Amino acid sequence: MSIIAVFNQKGGVGKTTTAVSLAAALSRIGRATYGIDLDPQAQLSSIANVTAKSGADTVLSMFQNNRPLTQLVQESPSKIKVIPAHTELSKVDALYGKGFNVVNKLNNALQAERFGGKDNPVVIDCNPMVGVLSLNAIFACSGLIVPISADHLSTKGALQIEKTLNALEQVLKRRVNRRYLLTRFDGRRRMAWDVLKLVEEHFGADVCRTRIAENVSLAESPAMNKTVFEHAPDSRGAHDYDDLLKELLTDGFID
């Protein structure tokens, strides 16, 4: 089962854009793709044009009431099968703490329900902090994508995540398969190339060959509650995410 989490501890790096665009790209090639929104800001849900009336209709209900994930799925106009988020998700850390049973809850639910599958990948949008929600995504995922915008502060966030993953792997007893993705890349700026060099020095073969260029269509589409493929399918942003999917499929990162 391909379960891909998208996470960075720094906001504004293209995390949700990457999650929803990757899910939409998978749907476009005929894969029945699920998108799980684990961010209380519910931005993936918003871009996919899916609204939850209350926390009971969201992934929060899984945490609170052990509600099956299959009962929470909503079909989006982009054909992504979305399990939406709600602002009440922000209560999860305070309510449940960080015990193993809590941070493994999503993984248990996905496995017990045989959710997704070889032809039904799952893409998880995480909130930008290490806590119960993001840990659930990391414990459940088969692969982690870390978006890094082409600036030095974003690189520091990625280095912090690497330390977090190294610590978690001692609990998981496995290496978390990961890819570092350069976003908001402007080849005309020297800093973009400096950041690329630094990232490649730190993370080597785990850096995606595809880079997501700075693109106005990617910035516009969230305001329209549309994926970039719905808003501007011929844009540079749409082509970049198509290329990213091809790379991840070719490398076996996604089955």
Side-chain angles (χ1 to χ4, degrees):
M1 186 191 305
S2 289
I3 302 172
I4 307 302
V6 184
F7 176 55
N8 194 322
Q9 291 172 246
K10 183 180 183 300
V13 299
K15 174 183 63 65
T16 299
T17 297
T18 295
V20 75
S21 299
L22 183 59
L26 281 159
S27 295
R28 278 163 51 88
I29 63 170
R31 304 286 289 273
T33 306
Y34 293 87
I36 300 179
D37 195 342
L38 281 186
D39 190 339
Q41 298 178 80
Q43 292 178 348
L44 182 146
S45 306
S46 175
I47 296 172
N49 207 7
V50 167
T51 303
K53 294 180 180 179
S54 71
D57 299 318
T58 74
V59 70
L60 176 64
S61 190
M62 181 206 71
F63 286 100
Q64 288 186 324
N65 306 310
N66 293 313
R67 191 173 176 190
L69 295 171
T70 50
Q71 295 181 9
L72 303 170
V73 176
Q74 294 189 42
E75 189 82 28
S76 74
S78 60
K79 306 303 181 185
I80 305 169
K81 300 175 188 297
V82 177
I83 297 177
H86 190 273
T87 54
E88 292 182 20
L89 262 178
S90 60
K91 301 175 182 178
V92 168
D93 279 80
L95 288 173
Y96 302 113
K98 295 181 182 178
F100 180 80
N101 289 337
V102 176
V103 298
N104 204 40
K105 198 170 182 68
L106 177 61
N107 180 46
N108 286 338
L110 288 168
Q111 300 300 329
E113 296 180 52
R114 298 185 180 276
F115 202 82
K118 180 173 174 55
D119 295 318
N120 304 298
V122 178
V123 179
I124 306 171
D125 185 32
C126 303
N127 64 327
M129 62 174 286
V130 176
V132 171
L133 296 172
S134 56
L135 289 173
N136 264 272
I138 293 170
F139 272 60
C141 74
S142 60
L144 179 71
I145 295 176
V146 182
I148 305 173
S149 60
D151 62 74
H152 289 290
L153 286 177
S154 184
T155 305
K156 289 182 179 180
L159 292 171
Q160 290 174 345
I161 289 173
E162 185 74 5
K163 291 180 181 178
T164 299
L165 292 175
N166 290 338
L168 286 175
E169 286 169 353
Q170 298 179 35
V171 178
L172 291 168
K173 308 299 183 185
R174 63 177 174 88
R175 185 179 190 274
V176 177
N177 195 14
R178 69 203 71 165
R179 292 291 185 274
Y180 295 88
L181 173 68
L182 263 291
T183 63
R184 306 187 67 179
F185 190 88
D186 185 345
R188 298 168 298 180
R189 299 170 61 200
R190 180 175 177 177
M191 183 175 66
W193 294 102
D194 289 344
V195 169
L196 174 61
K197 181 180 178 181
L198 181 63
V199 168
E200 289 179 335
E201 287 174 353
H202 279 291
F203 305 122
D206 288 335
V207 179
C208 291
R209 298 181 297 278
T210 303
R211 298 186 287 271
I212 309 300
E214 186 80 72
N215 181 256
V216 66
S217 296
L218 290 173
E220 291 172 343
S221 57
M224 301 178 184
N225 302 117
K226 292 182 177 181
T227 70
V228 69
F229 298 104
E230 296 169 289
H231 169 53
D234 295 323
S235 65
R236 174 68 183 274
H239 288 302
D240 283 350
Y241 277 107
D242 267 337
D243 288 344
L244 174 64
L245 176 58
K246 291 174 185 174
E247 176 182 337
L248 297 176
L249 290 170
T250 299
D251 291 354
F253 190 80
I254 297 176
D255 291 333

